[in-house]
Amino acid sequence: MTASTADAERVIAPARTATIAATHALVDCLFLAVVTGVSMVTYVGALGFYYDDYSVLYRMAFSSDQSLVGLYDSVRPATGQRPLQALIFATLYRLFGLDPLGYHLVNAGMLVAIAVLLYLVMRELRLPRLLCVGIPLVYSILPHYATNRFWVNAFQINLSGLFYLVSLYAALRALRARPIPLAGWLTVAFACVAGSLFAYEVIFPLFALNVGLVWWAARRLRGEDGRGDSARIVVGGLAAMILAVGIVKLVRVAEHGQNAYEVGFQDGFLHHIAYLVSGGIKLNLGTYFVAVPYVLWWIVRHAFDLADAAAAVAAGLLAFGYVWWIGQKDPRALAGGRHWRNSMGVGVLAFVLGYAIFLTNQQVLFRSAGIDNRVNAGAALGVAAFLVGGTGWLAFRLTEGRRPIFFSAVIGCVVATGVLIIGTLSSYWTVAADKQDAIVAGLQQTAPRLPRASTVVLDGICPEIGPAVVFADQWDFRGALRLAYDDPLLRADTATEGLRAGRRQLELDMTFLDDRSTRTYQYGPRLFVYDFRRGTVYALRDRNDATRYVSSRPAFRCTPQRGFAWGFDPSRRLSLL
């Protein structure tokens, strides 16, 4: 080989390596997008609006200014100090109006983007390909935060996570960027810190982990020319931005309040800490780890669906085959134990930080399903990192020939299980959407017109179907009827428990956890009860009308709200969630 040929080979080899790496990254991202898409294909087209969604939708529907700015202004008071939550609502309404399909397709796109961005972050950290693919693959199908897939009012948590990952990726890219691109990457990284926190709060403590990851990545680049100054700028600037944004948010919340955002602990700080620890362990180590065989058995007995099972098998086989293929191409990835142990350690830290925001407030309720499991989105990142790291660490202890098959089999089973559980949960939400449509359509058929500013009490229907909300409170049924009857003054409520004929007013009882309350509505020509089971509307002009209705009301019982727990009894002290 001549000197000129050798020089040419030295130039071509890095280019060829870069091309192969880029091809691998493209194929990996496509794989993650496909698996995430498979996990959503059975339900995304059948979801609707739920609970708080209606209180936001009617505000925008009756806004006198239907521009994006006008819609934003109309919904902003309902979102507290989360301006990006208001912006995403206004933007989606501007694009899709009252058609839920568009909202859910956008959210599906966000979920795919989160999986891809998490992969790109792992790749930028120069981790083995099995880790780069395994962690976002597992995270994208964990049922721990499944509500973020179904409920429009939880989409801002996905948006917050998206900004979080963009910020981390941009900071990592800034470490090896030249001065002009460095400024651009830093601008993106800093802006996304604010974007994440002003969309939602639960992800924010994880930015502390970002500072550590960026510092760790900077140490690996320290040998390159000029990287020392860049590292100090990126790490120092990122830490300063996180602190500044956190202070601004804290001041805004202190001055203007936040939706149910309270500082203080009614039963004491130590009691709250104990609840955080026990709840996190029960849900993540209990329900969705030790008790997974029981959950699968419960699904087969009570809620098995062939389409969900087919999607789960398809996703599991696809995951198994692809991960096994990667392991075969790079057997050394499973030969070392250090990166697997590091993944487990970072996973534990991310898990703790994922719940750390609740050290500042008491607005957390641990449930494995239903609207409350949205709070697990940050901690689930730690679960995914620990689970993949632990699987790799165990595989490392097997013989070389068994490592890839063991690792890929475990990941495939995790994916199939997650997709099946998510599909089962989704079926309740799609049924709940159909039930809402039936209730509103039935009322309109029975009473095509109502006097303006009427009050309608819904009776004969349970507020939830499994973990999914039908109509559970005054604001969701009120919003739905205001939209249906085009009446911004209409009031509505749901008789979820006791309904009594008081002396001068109808009395509705409601219990949520240990909090019992009673709402009252004055008798008169504009007070109506809609009995969904009998398909009849009753006018309650006075106590006699109310007494006759209550005495003829068929008895029925509903499970307590937020009571779905895969057959476990949430009231039992040692029960799983």
Side-chain angles (χ1 to χ4, degrees), residues 38 68 96 185 223 268 299 379 383 389 441 443 449 479 511 554 574:
V38 168
L68 182 61
F96 307 113
W185 285 116
I299 290 172
V383 172
L443 176 58
R449 290 182 179 82
T511 302
L574 297 179

Side-chain angles (χ1 to χ4, degrees), residues 345-491:
V346 171
V348 171
L349 180 58
F351 178 81
V352 173
L353 292 174
Y355 292 124
I357 193 65
F358 299 110
L359 295 175
T360 66
N361 70 90
Q362 56 188 350
Q363 302 302 323
V364 58
L365 180 61
F366 284 100
R367 288 290 184 266
S368 59
I371 64 174
D372 301 293
N373 87 346
R374 67 192 187 277
V375 303
N376 303 309
L381 277 169
V383 172
F386 186 88
L387 185 57
V388 175
T391 302
W393 184 79
L394 290 174
F396 170 63
R397 270 138 182 79
L398 301 177
T399 59
E400 184 175 346
R402 295 178 178 176
R403 290 169 185 168
I405 195 73
F406 173 81
F407 184 84
S408 55
V410 171
I411 298 301
C413 289
V414 169
V415 169
T417 299
V419 172
L420 180 60
I421 294 174
I422 288 170
T424 302
L425 294 175
S426 74
S427 65
Y428 289 102
W429 291 85
T430 57
V431 170
D434 292 339
K435 183 66 71 174
Q436 290 176 16
D437 292 341
I439 291 169
V440 174
L443 176 58
Q444 287 189 294
Q445 183 176 4
T446 305
R449 290 182 179 82
L450 291 171
R452 192 164 181 80
S454 293
T455 298
V456 179
V457 176
L458 174 64
D459 194 18
I461 189 74
C462 288
E464 296 175 337
I465 295 178
V469 179
V470 182
F471 289 122
D473 215 315
Q474 51 186 328
W475 55 75
D476 53 353
F477 190 46
R478 176 183 62 196
L481 292 193
R482 285 181 175 181
L483 293 170
Y485 282 93
D486 193 24
D487 181 359
L489 301 179
L490 187 149
R491 296 196 304 166

Side-chain angles (χ1 to χ4, degrees), residues 171-192:
L172 292 171
R173 288 297 303 266
L175 289 175
R176 55 187 180 88
R178 297 301 175 188
I180 294 180
L182 170 65
W185 285 116
L186 282 181
T187 300
V188 173
F190 293 169
C192 287

Side-chain angles (χ1 to χ4, degrees), residues 234-247:
V234 175
V235 175
L238 184 62
M241 186 63 184
I242 293 169
L243 181 61
V245 171
I247 292 173

Side-chain angles (χ1 to χ4, degrees), residues 257-274:
Q258 175 66 57
N259 294 359
Y261 194 104
E262 299 177 9
V263 176
F265 309 95
Q266 294 175 354
D267 296 315
F269 184 72
L270 290 180
H271 181 274
H272 184 67
I273 292 293

Side-chain angles (χ1 to χ4, degrees), residues 61-380:
F62 292 112
S63 173
S64 59
D65 183 354
Q66 290 291 304
S67 69
L68 182 61
V69 174
L71 295 172
Y72 174 84
D73 289 340
S74 68
V75 76
R76 182 73 176 82
T79 58
Q81 303 312 308
R82 298 171 184 158
L84 284 181
Q85 180 185 8
L87 181 59
I88 192 173
F89 265 124
T91 302
L92 291 173
Y93 183 83
R94 179 71 175 163
L95 292 172
F96 307 113
L98 296 176
D99 182 1
L101 178 60
Y103 294 72
H104 291 287
L105 288 177
V106 169
N107 188 54
M110 279 199 291
L111 293 171
V112 170
I114 286 171
V116 170
L117 273 166
L118 185 53
Y119 167 83
L120 294 176
V121 165
M122 302 288 105
R123 187 169 179 267
E124 199 64 29
L125 288 168
R126 303 295 189 268
L127 298 178
R129 191 179 177 191
L130 279 176
L131 265 178
C132 292
V133 171
I135 291 176
L137 173 62
V138 170
Y139 178 71
S140 67
I141 56 79
L142 285 179
H144 302 56
Y145 61 104
T147 296
N148 299 2
R149 291 167 166 259
F150 315 134
W151 188 24
V152 174
N153 197 56
F155 288 3
Q156 68 271 10
I157 305 176
N158 297 333
L159 182 64
S160 177
L162 193 64
F163 278 124
Y164 166 79
L165 292 171
V166 172
S167 175
L168 178 54
Y169 180 73
L172 292 171
R173 288 297 303 266
L175 289 175
R176 55 187 180 88
R178 297 301 175 188
I180 294 180
L182 170 65
W185 285 116
L186 282 181
T187 300
V188 173
F190 293 169
C192 287
V193 174
S196 179
L197 182 56
F198 285 100
Y200 207 72
E201 300 81 26
V202 74
I203 301 291
F204 186 67
L206 285 165
F207 276 101
L209 177 61
N210 285 14
V211 174
L213 291 174
V214 173
W215 174 80
W216 178 78
R219 287 187 61 190
R220 301 182 67 177
L221 294 171
R222 187 173 294 173
E224 300 184 22
D225 294 338
R227 300 303 180 193
D229 291 340
S230 295
R232 283 189 288 271
I233 292 172
V234 175
V235 175
L238 184 62
M241 186 63 184
I242 293 169
L243 181 61
V245 171
I247 292 173
V248 170
K249 177 64 178 265
L250 187 62
V251 170
R252 293 286 296 175
V253 169
E255 290 180 349
H256 303 286
Q258 175 66 57
N259 294 359
Y261 194 104
E262 299 177 9
V263 176
F265 309 95
Q266 294 175 354
D267 296 315
F269 184 72
L270 290 180
H271 181 274
H272 184 67
I273 292 293
Y275 178 69
L276 289 178
V277 173
S278 65
I281 290 174
K282 283 182 183 178
L283 190 148
N284 296 281
L285 185 59
T287 303
Y288 287 133
F289 188 73
V290 175
V292 162
Y294 166 82
V295 171
L296 295 178
W297 172 81
W298 189 93
I299 290 172
V300 170
R301 286 199 62 191
H302 301 282
F304 182 77
D305 181 83
L306 189 59
D308 293 334
V313 170
L317 290 175
L318 184 60
F320 168 79
Y322 193 80
V323 172
W324 179 83
W325 176 71
I326 294 175
Q328 290 293 106
K329 289 179 70 67
D330 186 13
R332 293 175 300 175
L334 288 167
R338 183 177 180 182
H339 46 269
W340 303 113
R341 290 194 301 271
N342 289 343
S343 178
M344 294 168 69
V346 171
V348 171
L349 180 58
F351 178 81
V352 173
L353 292 174
Y355 292 124
I357 193 65
F358 299 110
L359 295 175
T360 66
N361 70 90
Q362 56 188 350
Q363 302 302 323
V364 58
L365 180 61
F366 284 100
R367 288 290 184 266
S368 59
I371 64 174
D372 301 293
N373 87 346
R374 67 192 187 277
V375 303
N376 303 309

Side-chain angles (χ1 to χ4, degrees), residues 520-542:
T520 60
Y521 295 96
Q522 294 288 332
Y523 300 131
R526 297 182 180 182
L527 177 62
F528 303 92
V529 171
Y530 172 49
D531 188 323
F532 175 71
R533 289 179 297 175
R534 292 187 285 189
T536 307
V537 175
Y538 298 87
L540 304 185
R541 293 176 291 269
D542 51 36

